[in-house]
């Protein structure tokens, strides 16, 4: 898939950061801090560690804004990737420390990798949901959190049933990219099974 030129905001922000504009870092922080914190927290399940990762990510962006390659995608995606990489690294470090203290290294190592995969998939799903268009997100939130089927979702959103089904199907297709097919444990909201008809 060919990458389009990044939005002007991304290019201007990178240039401002490269010039050392502290106001640019503040603007970037205001825009992406909640994303960074929530992704880190999703992986680590620890407030203090998520705070630390947030500081580290913005520190890394400040120190090396040229590491962002606009040809590879948006600045938001790059910041999310940095966050994910840092958080997974921290999770592996803490898990490795526990392995050296424990006894059964093989089993514990396998459990750690499963934990990393689950946390990574959850963080990717969070990122996908926050990045998807508002109409898809609204449909998924109604179906998942309020347990609405596609008919109730259509009525709540004021759209046709076909449009509600389309939004839910597309939203679920986007979400399915976060989880490998072998992972389970996520419950399906009511009405999602009806989308395949």
């Amino acid at each position: 898939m060919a990458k389009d030129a990044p939005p002007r905001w991304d290019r201007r922000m990178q240039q401002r950061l490269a010039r050392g504009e502290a106001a640019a870092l503040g603007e970037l922080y205001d825009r992406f801090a909640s994303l960074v914190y929530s992704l880190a927290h999703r992986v680590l399940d620890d407030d203090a560690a998520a705070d630390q990762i947030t500081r580290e990510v913005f520190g890394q962006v400040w120190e090396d804004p040229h590491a962002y390659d606009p040809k590879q995608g948006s600045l938001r995606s790059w910041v999310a990737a940095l966050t994910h990489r840092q958080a997974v690294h921290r999770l592996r470090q803490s898990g490795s420390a526990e392995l050296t203290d424990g006894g059964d290294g093989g089993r514990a190592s396998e459990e750690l990798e499963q934990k990393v995969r689950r946390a990574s998939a959850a963080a990717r799903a969070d990122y996908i949901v926050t990045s998807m268009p508002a109409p898809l997100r609204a449909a998924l939130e109604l179906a998942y959190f309020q347990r609405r089927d596609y008919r109730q979702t259509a009525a709540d959103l004021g759209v046709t049933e076909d449009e509600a089904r389309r939004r839910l199907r597309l939203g679920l297709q986007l979400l399915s990219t976060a989880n490998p097919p072998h992972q389970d444990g996520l419950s399906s909201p009511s009405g999602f099974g009806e989308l395949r008809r």
Side-chain angles (χ1 to χ4, degrees):
M1 176 173 115
K3 304 276 184 201
D4 294 330
R8 281 189 207 129
W9 187 89
D10 289 357
R11 287 193 302 264
R12 280 195 312 260
M13 178 57 66
Q14 182 183 33
Q15 292 165 354
R16 290 174 63 202
L17 289 167
R19 287 192 302 263
E21 289 184 32
L25 183 63
E27 189 178 326
L28 187 76
Y29 184 87
D30 289 345
R31 186 171 238 179
F32 296 138
S34 63
L35 169 71
V36 171
Y37 178 85
S38 66
L39 288 174
H41 194 276
R42 186 65 131 147
V43 171
L44 299 167
D45 194 27
D46 181 314
D47 293 338
D51 280 336
Q52 180 65 31
I53 293 294
T54 301
R55 287 191 297 277
E56 289 172 7
V57 165
F58 285 100
Q60 187 175 349
V61 169
W62 176 249
E63 289 174 15
D64 192 12
H66 294 293
Y68 166 58
D69 181 0
K71 294 175 187 162
Q72 298 298 317
S74 71
L75 189 57
R76 176 187 173 91
S77 295
W78 180 66
V79 168
L82 285 176
T83 304
H84 182 260
R85 194 170 25 254
Q86 292 278 97
V88 167
H89 180 71
R90 178 74 48 86
L91 184 62
R92 283 198 169 109
Q93 278 183 327
S94 64
S96 294
E98 290 172 16
L99 287 177
T100 57
D101 295 340
D104 187 5
R107 186 168 154 243
S109 177
E110 184 178 315
E111 288 175 9
L112 172 62
E113 284 307 309
Q114 287 177 353
K115 183 177 179 181
V116 168
R117 281 193 299 273
R118 282 192 306 271
S120 293
R124 280 193 305 274
D126 282 352
Y127 178 75
I128 289 167
V129 169
T130 60
S131 299
M132 71 176 47
L136 300 182
R137 187 172 51 249
L140 285 177
E141 287 172 352
L142 282 170
Y144 189 79
F145 293 115
Q146 296 182 25
R147 298 291 196 193
R148 304 276 201 219
D149 66 16
Y150 73 92
R151 290 180 185 97
Q152 294 165 322
T153 299
D156 289 348
L157 294 175
V159 298
T160 66
E161 289 181 4
D162 285 342
E163 177 62 14
R165 288 171 88 170
R166 187 190 69 74
R167 290 180 186 184
L168 289 169
R169 187 178 302 118
L170 184 54
L172 288 173
Q173 286 171 346
L174 289 171
L175 274 176
S176 72
T177 64
N179 293 313
H182 67 279
Q183 289 188 349
D184 55 322
L186 297 176
S187 62
S188 178
S190 79
F192 279 10
E194 298 178 45
L195 294 176
R196 293 190 180 89
R197 282 197 231 145

